[in-house]
Amino acid sequence: MKRKILFIFITIILSSLSSIASVVDSLKYALINSPDSTKFNLYLDIAAQYRGINTDSAIFYNQKAISLAKKLGSVQKLSAASNEMGVVYYLNDQYVKAIECYELALIIDKKLKNNFDIATRLNNIGLAYCAIGNYSIAIDNFHEALKIDHERNDTAKIAIRLNNIGIVYTRFEQYAKALDYFINAYKTDSVRNDKALCAARLSNIGWVYLKMKKPDQAITYLNKAIVIDTELKNEFNLAIRYNNLGNAYLLKKEYNEAINLFDKALIINRKSENKTAIATVLYSLGNAYFETKQIAKALESISESVKLANETHAQNIIIDDYKLFSELYASQNNYKQAFVYSDKYNRLKDSLFTSESKKKLDALQTYYENEKKEHEISILNHEKQLKDLQFKQKEEELNNQRLLKYWLFAVAIIILLVVAVFYISSMNRAIKNRHILEKNLNLYMQKALSQQMNPHFIFNTLNSIQFFLLNNDKIASSKYLSKFARLMRLTLDNSQKPVIPLSDEIESLKLYVELEQLRFENKFSFDLQFDSIPDFELISLPPLILQPFVENSIWHGIMHRENSEGGMLKIKFTSNNNVLICTIEDNGIGRERAKEIRQKKKPDHVSWGTKITESRISLINELHKSKLNIRYTDLKDNNNLPIGTKVEIEFPV
């Protein structure tokens, strides 16, 4: 069986290498007789193919690209090639060299004022500093990149920066902050419907819960990530999820499930030959074997883990391995070896977070003092050569085509003026329309608040409280008054926000219905249901939206029934294809009969609560390009007689 698995691994690896070799051969063939500008891109493509497979070849072709960029006098190409060289060094765990390359690319991009590339370079620098343990500088770079992304309104990059900052906070063991960053990153990627990144964010949320020793929450989020990665067939990410999920089950002391998950992760990582990933899973397996008293297997796994971790300089894994070695030997009463590895653990930990970090920072400082000026001088020389060449070309064009240029210039100015006038006019109209919409939305929000705090409802509620007090029913009056105060507080709080969590809206509705039940002496029952609803805190909706429909069901439907008892109000929340559906159903007299009764009492009566809410929904849809919909259904029996009303309100999640 083991030979069969090994044969499958070898076949997959050879097939993968054969595919890469074929791509590289095609790119090398394309180099023949290609112009220099094309060769530059081909060199970078070949280097990218060699990433993580043949570092020497990747560096060789990157150097070719750098030399060609200098020859062409293109600082933009020099920036791209330097960044690619930094990626190669980063993937090969040579973080100081990676930072040198990223910093050179950053200097060039700042001169070119290319904010998109500047943010990318800052992010890469932050990742490299994070790898060498200098988290303070890493966070500074991530925040600076995040500021640029916000200015550009680049939601995709914003999510990446938030995720990276969350990783740093996790390593600092500041889990609450880390969780906040990961959740914000997940929300951003969810809006963009980027499934791969959503899976990564869910996995990171699970990872934080794992660090917080909350295995149940960790399992929930990790399983969500696994569903997405399985759909996308992303095996490398599945290995990470399986390893974290195994550690969650290890915390729950479900050892067989944990070991099975570690084995699945190990199979995937051995197939990809990722030594750092293999070392990580082997440590997890060793820990599981230790917990199940399989000391020999634990020592074997940890020995292989520390060997692979040393090859890739994965210091964080080595520290964990040393610590587990010490615990293993101590469990066998081999205190001499336990002390040896405990000492190694403490020395390596101190070295990693003090002297080694200082040494690397000193090396960076020396590099920037000695090399930065030479790079800047080289860049300036290339810029001067480019400017001289451009000046000569312009001079020739002026001599040969002066008249044509003047005409083209005049036409261009006219076109620009027309476009500018049209653009400014369009922008002014758009701003004016948005202001009108926002003003109307605020006005209807105020009307909604006024309608929800209906004087008639408040008066009747206070009368009911007075009734309980006069009858010396302190428990009922206290309960009624508490619910009433809570409802008023929630209503006022929610009215100050553009959106509120679904949980707050549900709490407000429950309080309102319970008050109405007390007020009408429990003449109707209330059923609240949920179906396929994800995390309530991650779903938001506009405040003061649902209550008017519930009020109509009670006042105009249920309370007009001939039989005053047996009224029924059902509110159900369901989620389907990123749409939240709230269904409000009653067994009242129906809309037609309710309309007849209103017209008899007040011929000009208008249901302002519902009308205001419908107007707000229309304005929200127009302002935010949303799709909030309302559907009314008149419920009838087999004899076509009214038996109630159903209202469905749809909110995009």
Side-chain angles (χ1 to χ4, degrees), residues 18-19 39 44 101 109 113 117 290 367 376 581 640:
S18 174
S19 175
K39 283 183 178 179
L44 285 187
C101 295
D109 292 325
K113 297 181 179 179
D117 286 338
F290 177 51
Y367 167 78
E376 289 180 344
I581 304 172
N640 204 31

Side-chain angles (χ1 to χ4, degrees), residues 502 505-506 508-514 524-531 546-547 549-551 553-554 568-574 581-586 647 649:
L502 177 58
E505 182 69 12
I506 290 171
S508 179
L509 280 177
K510 286 175 66 178
L511 284 170
Y512 171 73
V513 174
E514 287 170 2
F524 68 93
S525 61
F526 171 49
D527 184 20
L528 181 62
Q529 300 178 5
F530 307 96
D531 185 14
L546 301 177
Q547 188 269 349
F549 298 103
V550 176
E551 180 183 307
S553 291
I554 297 171
M568 183 275 294
L569 172 65
K570 182 168 69 176
I571 302 176
K572 183 177 181 181
F573 291 91
T574 58
I581 304 172
C582 175
T583 304
I584 301 168
E585 184 176 333
D586 65 69
V647 184
I649 305 102

Side-chain angles (χ1 to χ4, degrees), residues 274-398:
N274 187 314
K275 292 182 179 180
T276 301
I278 294 170
T280 301
V281 180
L282 285 169
Y283 165 77
S284 298
L285 261 175
N287 203 15
Y289 288 138
F290 177 51
E291 291 285 339
T292 54
K293 311 301 182 185
Q294 301 179 66
I295 305 302
K297 284 187 176 182
L299 285 169
E300 182 182 352
S301 294
I302 299 303
S303 297
E304 187 180 355
S305 174
V306 78
K307 177 178 176 294
L308 293 173
N310 273 310
E311 290 177 11
T312 59
H313 309 289
Q315 305 285 30
N316 288 332
I317 301 174
I318 295 170
I319 287 175
D320 291 337
D321 287 334
Y322 284 164
K323 186 177 181 182
L324 188 54
F325 261 134
S326 177
E327 293 172 356
L328 281 166
Y329 283 119
S331 71
Q332 293 183 304
N333 298 325
N334 188 343
Y335 298 112
K336 181 179 179 181
Q337 283 295 95
F339 175 77
V340 168
Y341 279 101
S342 177
D343 185 59
K344 283 185 176 183
Y345 165 77
N346 289 319
R347 287 176 182 273
L348 183 57
K349 186 175 181 181
D350 292 341
S351 173
L352 180 63
F353 291 104
T354 56
S355 61
E356 184 176 339
S357 298
K358 180 68 166 59
K359 183 178 178 181
K360 288 181 178 180
L361 289 175
D362 290 342
L364 279 176
Q365 185 65 30
T366 303
Y367 167 78
Y368 284 119
E369 289 174 355
N370 296 331
E371 298 293 331
K372 187 175 180 180
K373 290 183 179 179
E374 292 184 13
H375 286 305
E376 289 180 344
I377 291 170
S378 175
I379 291 167
L380 289 172
N381 286 335
H382 286 303
E383 289 179 346
K384 186 177 182 302
Q385 291 174 5
L386 286 172
K387 287 180 180 178
D388 290 341
L389 180 61
Q390 291 171 354
F391 179 76
K392 288 180 181 179
Q393 291 175 345
K394 287 181 180 179
E395 192 173 22
E396 291 177 3
E397 290 174 2
L398 285 171

